[in-house]
Amino acid sequence: MTTLSKPVTEEGAGDKRLFTYAMSETVLKKQKRCIRGAEEDVTIYLSAPVADVQLINFALYPGPRAQTETARTEKEMRKLLNAGMEMAWVDLCCISANVRNDIIDQGVIASWVVDDEIINDFYHRFSLQLAVAASIPCVYIAGRTCQAAFERMITLGFISRMEELSSLGVTLCEAGDCRFAAIEGRPHPSHHLVTGREVSVTGIFKETIAMINGVVSCCASGDLSPGNTSRCLITAMGIDEEELAVRMRGREYLTNLLYSSSSGRFPLRDLHLRNVKAHLPEVRATLSKWAGMGLKPLMSILRSANIYLDLPTYDSTLDVWFKRLGAARFVTFMCNCIAARLLDPLFAASLDIWFERLGAARFVTFMCNGIAARLLDPLFAACLEIWFERLGAARLVTFMCDSIAARVLDPLFAASLDIWFERLGAARFVTFMCGGVAARLLDPLFAASLEIWFERLGAARFVTFMCGGVAARVLDPLFTASLDIWFERLGAARFVTFMCGGVATRLLDPLFAASLEIWFERLGAARFVTFMCGGVAARVLDPLFTASLDIWFERLGAARFVTFMCDGIAARLLDPLFAVCLEIWFERLGAERFVTFMCGGIAARLLDPLFAASLEIWFERLGAARFVTFMCDSIAARLLDPAFQDITSIWFNALGAHNFSRIFGIGAFTKRIVHASFERRAVKLLHTLGGDAMYTFLRANNGRKMDNI
């Protein structure tokens, strides 16, 4: 257990109360997941409750070397806070970097807001501090992640909002027997103390501290009415009533622009946007311009890092990337990691280089893989160059996922990459490294297991096998034993196919294992493997699904049954309307033709009334045998296209039913006949050869060769 205890003396009480807190091992384990490097490079830091403080910072994580140093954020805050004001920190994350904060992954911390065990622990620590603070303290909710954690505490019933004290985001709240004034929706102060110290962000920081001074003053007065809160804020911030009203009109403009509501109130996700200075003409003009480009691009900008605090400054740079990428890719591209560095000249130059190398689509994928945070690290940049040369653009983008990027500078990991690259070659190597392998590659037992399966399967099958959910389980003794059994039964080729059909995640379920045994006996090895890869594995324990399987197995026999169940049928088999359709077509066509007909393209559209009506027309025209030949996937995909319908009518009359069904059953012909140039050549071919010879010729020239007829 990680514990802290500190005697806290209440002035005048004449006694001491001992507050003891213990963080559970499960919470601590989750906390450590935010560490990007080695655990020895961080320290667990739990700040003890501090008596009689007027300000509690509801914060994200401690500064570096928190046990021995005061964080820079706190130093900067104290320069502007009223004299004599004491503060305490309660952090969502309890991990302090020994050197630099970039070892802590804020994205991981952000994910904790939906983990009620972590939120419960955070509230416990917050409530201990709240219990010994001043009678009504000010609580500063520092940044978006902390705001989301605060909202979760409200949802869980730990905290209640009692009254809005100011439209600037000040609310009277209650937690247990304690009341406090919360300043919500403000940026985290550390965001504004990073490199550059731009006037705009420094101004936001100063404004936040002025608000804290005003709210603390209001709390000390004992009068926490909205009127007194506004007066205290106006005095502390050096503004007047008119300025407050102007700001409110700016917020109303922005909520109307974003949500078609003039309330001036923002939803939780966008609470930070109350700090957008939409009352300023230059900011409003920028907002209006981007709104004209679409709501999604605008929201992606406003939700990325701190761009929202200084929109005009970023406008021209954003413009460049919007024009380069287009709206959809721009929305994907805009993220906190990139936005925080977008105005850095070196970062911008690096973006330009990779954009030229990769092209828009690959560039966006690449930059969203955790690359942006490391792009200016010289060693990481050199590593990218090496792998770019080795793999080429397409494979580099696939390979350099976040899991790889986080480890690629580790010498042992890099050495292991080199070994597997040599063994597998570029294409297989990239596939292999994206199958959950990277996170385990340096585990000696996992590495030994890789060696065993590489020897057993050979390079090609080994790569396929390790990407089927196997990597996460291959060190489980029971799972390994089961793998060995199925390897012996199926042989290498079938075994690899079998393990890639969603089987790995269920292999140790006793009921699933029993079901495998039954179907293995029924079908034999070859058909069993095909059957288990058709979406069946996910449903085979459903009693209704199993009953339906039994019915169709009896009707079709083993061979036809396996073909039937692998064509998108499994996902729809329990739909009553779909089941009725199957019955109708089974009666019409008989078992053999039914299985041929019920391909994936048909199954996906069978319940569409227009598609069903079209099937009826062609069934009547062609008869059962020709209908099945004609109704391939290529036809199914185009059957409701009016232009295609016109073409089929013309060719049906020209060819007659027999040759029409055969020729249009050739997928390559069907795909091309909608193009006028190809149709002209096809007409000439018909006139030259006649229907029968044309069919023979087209069969001989199926595929890409058909482009040359």
Side-chain angles (χ1 to χ4, degrees):
M1 305 286 275
T2 301
T3 63
L4 66 88
S5 61
K6 180 178 180 180
V8 181
T9 304
E10 289 188 319
E11 189 175 345
D15 68 328
K16 288 186 176 182
R17 292 186 293 163
L18 185 67
F19 288 82
T20 302
Y21 159 79
M23 177 177 282
S24 72
E25 291 298 333
T26 56
V27 171
L28 183 59
K29 184 177 180 180
K30 290 177 181 179
Q31 291 255 340
K32 288 180 179 178
R33 289 174 186 163
C34 74
I35 303 169
R36 281 193 171 121
E39 285 190 25
E40 54 265 29
D41 293 329
V42 301
T43 302
I44 307 302
Y45 177 72
L46 291 163
S47 53
V50 182
D52 302 324
V53 294
Q54 300 101 323
L55 171 63
I56 300 173
N57 294 302
F58 193 91
L60 195 62
Y61 59 89
R65 301 169 296 282
Q67 287 187 335
T68 57
E69 296 181 16
T70 300
R72 184 181 174 191
T73 299
E74 182 172 338
K75 290 177 182 177
E76 294 294 326
M77 289 177 72
R78 288 192 181 279
K79 292 176 184 178
L80 300 173
L81 289 171
N82 288 340
M85 189 185 302
E86 294 300 326
M87 72 172 80
W89 296 81
V90 184
D91 298 298
L92 173 57
C93 173
C94 65
I95 292 171
S96 171
N98 292 346
V99 182
R100 290 174 52 186
N101 280 340
D102 58 7
I103 197 173
I104 296 172
D105 190 332
Q106 292 190 37
V108 173
I109 299 175
S111 71
W112 296 348
V113 299
V114 294
D115 187 322
D116 287 349
E117 185 180 25
I118 289 181
I119 295 299
N120 207 318
D121 174 84
F122 188 24
Y123 173 72
H124 186 185
R125 290 183 281 120
F126 172 63
S127 65
L128 290 177
Q129 176 56 68
L130 197 59
V132 298
S135 56
I136 302 181
C138 169
V139 175
Y140 168 37
I141 313 299
R144 278 182 261 180
T145 299
C146 294
Q147 183 68 52
F150 188 72
E151 291 290 340
R152 186 60 188 161
M153 290 180 189
I154 291 171
T155 301
L156 293 172
F158 300 153
I159 295 171
S160 301
R161 285 194 185 94
M162 310 299 291
E163 183 180 13
E164 182 178 77
L165 300 177
S166 168
S167 62
L168 291 175
V170 183
T171 50
L172 179 63
C173 298
E174 188 174 68
D177 296 330
C178 301
R179 289 194 170 193
F180 58 92
I183 298 178
E184 301 187 57
R186 300 296 292 182
H188 195 286
S190 60
H191 285 316
H192 314 297
L193 302 173
V194 292
T195 58
R197 295 186 64 83
E198 298 93 339
V199 172
S200 59
V201 294
T202 304
I204 290 288
F205 174 65
K206 289 179 178 178
E207 184 176 273
T208 300
I209 302 304
M211 286 182 64
I212 291 173
N213 285 332
V215 173
V216 168
S217 173
C218 185
C219 290
S221 73
D223 179 5
L224 271 174
S225 64
N228 190 47
T229 303
S230 290
R231 285 190 291 274
C232 290
L233 285 169
I234 286 170
T235 301
M237 296 170 70
I239 59 176
D240 55 26
E241 291 282 358
E242 177 57 27
E243 172 73 7
L244 275 182
V246 168
R247 291 189 182 199
M248 187 61 196
R249 287 196 291 273
R251 288 196 292 275
E252 290 169 352
Y253 165 80
L254 187 53
T255 57
N256 186 56
L257 188 69
L258 301 180
Y259 321 113
S260 301
S261 165
S262 299
S263 65
R265 297 179 182 277
F266 296 87
L268 169 61
R269 183 179 183 184
D270 299 330
L271 207 56
H272 63 288
L273 297 184
R274 65 166 46 141
N275 300 302
V276 175
K277 296 190 181 297
H279 58 288
L280 299 178
E282 62 273 21
V283 175
R284 188 170 291 198
T286 307
L287 287 167
S288 178
K289 167 192 161 181
W290 282 98
M293 296 182 186
L295 186 59
K296 286 184 178 179
L298 175 58
M299 293 306 298
S300 72
I301 291 168
L302 294 175
R303 288 171 175 164
S304 295
N306 297 310
I307 292 179
Y308 69 97
L309 295 173
D310 196 7
L311 284 166
T313 299
Y314 285 87
D315 184 44
S316 59
T317 303
L318 294 172
D319 235 356
V320 169
W321 285 108
F322 185 82
K323 289 171 183 173
R324 280 179 163 182
L325 300 173
R329 288 174 182 151
F330 177 82
V331 170
T332 306
F333 172 69
M334 287 307 301
C335 60
N336 287 336
C337 223
I338 288 173
R341 300 165 174 85
L342 204 52
L343 298 184
D344 182 323
L346 291 177
F347 184 76
S350 190
L351 289 184
D352 289 339
I353 291 168
W354 285 106
F355 179 79
E356 290 302 317
R357 282 177 162 179
L358 301 175
R362 288 172 182 159
F363 170 77
V364 170
T365 303
F366 177 66
M367 290 308 301
C368 292
N369 279 346
I371 302 296
R374 303 171 175 93
L375 201 56
L376 294 185
D377 181 328
L379 292 177
F380 185 78
C383 197
L384 287 183
E385 293 296 332
I386 292 168
W387 286 107
F388 180 74
E389 288 300 316
R390 280 178 161 181
L391 300 173
R395 288 172 181 157
L396 173 76
V397 172
T398 305
F399 166 68
M400 197 52 69
C401 58
D402 193 46
S403 190
I404 302 285
R407 298 172 174 87
V408 77
L409 296 183
D410 181 324
L412 292 176
F413 185 79
S416 189
L417 290 183
D418 289 338
I419 291 167
W420 285 107
F421 179 79
E422 290 301 317
R423 280 179 163 180
L424 300 174
R428 289 171 181 159
F429 170 76
V430 170
T431 304
F432 169 66
M433 287 308 301
C434 292
V437 172
R440 302 170 177 91
L441 199 57
L442 296 185
D443 181 326
L445 292 176
F446 184 77
S449 185
L450 291 183
E451 294 295 334
I452 292 167
W453 286 106
F454 182 77
E455 288 300 316
R456 277 180 163 181
L457 300 173
R461 289 171 181 159
F462 169 75
V463 170
T464 305
F465 169 68
M466 289 307 299
C467 293
V470 173
R473 300 168 178 87
V474 77
L475 295 184
D476 182 324
L478 292 176
F479 184 79
T480 303
S482 189
L483 290 183
D484 290 337
I485 291 167
W486 286 107
F487 180 78
E488 291 301 318
R489 280 179 164 180
L490 300 174
R494 288 171 181 160
F495 170 75
V496 170
T497 305
F498 169 67
M499 287 307 301
C500 293
V503 172
T505 56
R506 302 170 177 90
L507 199 56
L508 295 184
D509 181 326
L511 292 176
F512 184 77
S515 186
L516 291 183
E517 294 294 335
I518 292 167
W519 286 106
F520 182 77
E521 289 300 316
R522 278 180 164 181
L523 299 173
R527 289 170 180 160
F528 169 75
V529 170
T530 305
F531 168 68
M532 288 308 298
C533 293
V536 172
R539 301 170 177 89
V540 77
L541 296 184
D542 181 326
L544 292 176
F545 184 78
T546 303
S548 189
L549 290 183
D550 290 338
I551 291 167
W552 286 106
F553 180 79
E554 291 301 318
R555 281 178 164 179
L556 300 174
R560 290 171 183 158
F561 171 75
V562 169
T563 303
F564 169 67
M565 285 309 301
C566 291
D567 277 325
I569 302 294
R572 302 171 177 90
L573 199 57
L574 296 185
D575 182 325
L577 292 177
F578 186 77
V580 169
C581 279
L582 291 183
E583 294 294 336
I584 292 169
W585 285 106
F586 181 77
E587 289 300 317
R588 281 178 162 179
L589 299 173
E592 185 171 352
R593 288 172 180 160
F594 171 75
V595 171
T596 305
F597 165 68
M598 199 52 68
C599 59
I602 302 288
R605 300 171 175 89
L606 199 56
L607 297 184
D608 181 328
L610 292 177
F611 185 80
S614 192
L615 290 183
E616 296 292 339
I617 292 168
W618 285 108
F619 182 77
E620 290 300 319
R621 279 181 168 181
L622 298 173
R626 290 169 183 159
F627 172 75
V628 170
T629 303
F630 167 68
M631 196 51 66
C632 60
D633 271 337
S634 291
I635 298 291
R638 297 168 174 83
L639 199 58
L640 297 184
D641 181 339
F644 186 73
Q645 290 172 351
D646 292 342
I647 288 169
T648 53
S649 294
I650 293 167
W651 280 91
F652 180 77
N653 293 328
L655 291 169
H658 176 61
N659 281 321
F660 172 79
S661 62
R662 294 196 300 167
I663 288 173
F664 271 77
I666 300 171
F669 178 85
T670 303
K671 292 174 184 176
R672 290 166 173 80
I673 195 62
V674 294
H675 302 296
S677 60
F678 182 83
E679 187 180 18
R680 285 194 296 271
R681 299 200 303 274
V683 169
K684 184 177 179 181
L685 192 66
L686 176 62
H687 290 160
T688 303
L689 300 177
D692 289 337
M694 180 179 177
Y695 168 71
T696 303
F697 178 79
L698 290 173
R699 288 285 295 174
N701 289 276
N702 199 2
R704 291 183 180 178
K705 290 187 289 184
M706 201 169 288
D707 290 328
N708 300 321
I709 69 168

